[in-house]
Amino acid sequence: MYEIRFHGRGGQGAVMAAQALAEAAVLEGYYAQAFPYFGAERRGAPVRAFARIDESKISIKSQVYEPDVLVILDESILEIDPISEGLKPGGKAIINTVKRPEEVDLGIEVECGTVDATTIALETIKAPIVNTSILGAFARVVDIVPLESILNAIMNRFGEKLGHQSGVMNAEAARIAYQKTVVGRSKGTRKVVGKKMWLPTWNEIPIGNTLSPGEIDGIVVGPGSMTQNLTGTWRTQTPRYSKEKCIRCLRCWFSCPEGCIERLEDDYERWDYRYCKGCGICAEVCPADAIEMVRGVYEW
């Protein structure tokens, strides 16, 4: 059995990528399954999706804990999650990045394909949705499903859901990514540390499931616990504020859905980049063009 784990962010299409890959495998005569795992968060939150491919029927239903292949749609997740945890020593990885394979530190040395899927997606489908580009790179690195079957699966899945032209554009993104993928070996110096989690037993859960504020083994629980969830690592673009252009209308301050814009005493603003997800609403509502969204993660 071949097991693949996708890591992306809500809105990048990790789930559709896993489904399209499974469909491509079925077109090749394999059995396959694909399913996602994500919480109640909005776009930008880390998302996992899984695919299994086998010559026999697949009865296992669990998540993929020891993948043969990692597919990473967003490089920044490497900084917040132990992504390579469980990857088999002979496994492979495909990463959306501008770096070459030898510059990518996964914490394990494996065969690695890198591609700037974001730029390819922006140039072909005009949106930073990198799922089909990354599938093209997958076909270049992993030989279990050929590119032609992946292109057919993309046409079927995306064409049926979003229209024929969308299928054509997404297939073209995959074809370009296949050609531009660089294959090499990743670095293995990063220390992979599992995330601390609080997994209470039944008798640790209070009646009514309502927790009081508190801290257990360094993990904040109950009301206010989201302060430890630094959602600023989710963003792919960052608002740059120009105080010189600001007319102090406060529309950005009112409109920020995360409350991460601080109103100063003189009515100018300051961003708390630890929690800013880079949604861009502040820039959209600014009537003075005092806020510019810049691709990448910065703090000014």
Side-chain angles (χ1 to χ4, degrees), residues 37 195-205 216-217 219 221:
Y37 171 78
K195 256 182 140 177
K196 243 182 188 179
M197 299 175 70
W198 178 52
L199 300 172
T201 58
W202 68 269
N203 54 355
E204 290 177 309
I205 300 174
I216 298 173
D217 196 20
I219 302 171
V221 299

Side-chain angles (χ1 to χ4, degrees), residues 193-240:
V193 180
K195 256 182 140 177
K196 243 182 188 179
M197 299 175 70
W198 178 52
L199 300 172
T201 58
W202 68 269
N203 54 355
E204 290 177 309
I205 300 174
I207 296 172
N209 294 335
T210 302
L211 292 168
S212 300
E215 186 172 321
I216 298 173
D217 196 20
I219 302 171
V220 178
V221 299
S225 58
M226 283 301 289
T227 55
Q228 281 193 331
N229 192 15
L230 302 180
T231 51
T233 59
W234 298 4
R235 66 177 181 271
T236 56
Q237 55 178 356
T238 305
R240 180 159 55 191

Side-chain angles (χ1 to χ4, degrees), residues 160-180:
E160 181 180 319
K161 189 171 183 179
L162 305 171
H164 177 75
Q165 186 57 30
S166 176
V168 171
M169 293 163 64
N170 277 283
E172 179 63 11
R175 190 177 287 107
I176 294 171
Y178 178 88
Q179 295 164 351
K180 292 192 172 181

Side-chain angles (χ1 to χ4, degrees), residues 12-196:
Q12 290 183 314
V15 178
M16 284 280 278
Q19 292 171 341
L21 178 61
E23 182 168 338
V26 171
L27 292 175
E28 284 294 307
Y30 291 105
Y31 291 92
Q33 64 175 208
F35 57 98
Y37 171 78
F38 50 82
E41 289 285 4
R42 63 188 72 182
R43 290 170 74 93
V47 168
R48 291 185 177 198
F50 312 96
R52 289 190 173 93
I53 300 171
D54 201 355
E55 293 177 346
S56 305
K57 288 185 178 178
I58 302 169
S59 57
I60 188 169
K61 303 295 183 187
S62 70
Q63 296 183 29
V64 172
Y65 298 104
E66 295 183 347
D68 298 280
V69 181
L70 284 177
V71 182
I72 303 166
L73 284 74
D74 190 307
E75 184 187 9
S76 68
I77 300 178
L78 283 169
E79 304 301 327
I80 60 173
D81 264 347
I83 284 180
S84 56
E85 192 173 27
L87 178 63
K88 293 173 181 170
K92 300 182 179 184
I94 296 98
I95 307 175
N96 171 21
T97 177
V98 297
K99 296 176 183 172
R100 294 183 59 81
E102 60 271 22
E103 297 173 320
V104 175
D105 189 355
L106 289 172
I108 181 172
E109 288 186 32
V110 292
E111 184 176 344
C112 178
T114 61
V115 64
D116 184 1
T118 302
T119 296
I120 293 171
L122 287 171
E123 291 176 352
T124 51
I125 63 174
K126 313 302 179 190
I129 303 172
V130 299
N131 49 7
T132 47
S133 301
I134 208 75
L135 285 179
F138 181 95
R140 179 67 180 272
V141 178
V142 183
D143 58 5
I144 192 167
V145 181
L147 178 64
E148 281 308 312
S149 291
I150 286 179
L151 297 180
N152 289 334
I154 289 172
M155 285 298 300
N156 293 344
R157 188 158 289 271
F158 288 78
E160 181 180 319
K161 189 171 183 179
L162 305 171
H164 177 75
Q165 186 57 30
S166 176
V168 171
M169 293 163 64
N170 277 283
E172 179 63 11
R175 190 177 287 107
I176 294 171
Y178 178 88
Q179 295 164 351
K180 292 192 172 181
T181 297
V182 179
V183 182
R185 301 281 297 178
S186 66
K187 288 195 292 187
T189 57
R190 179 196 298 267
K191 190 175 180 183
V192 179
V193 180
K195 256 182 140 177
K196 243 182 188 179

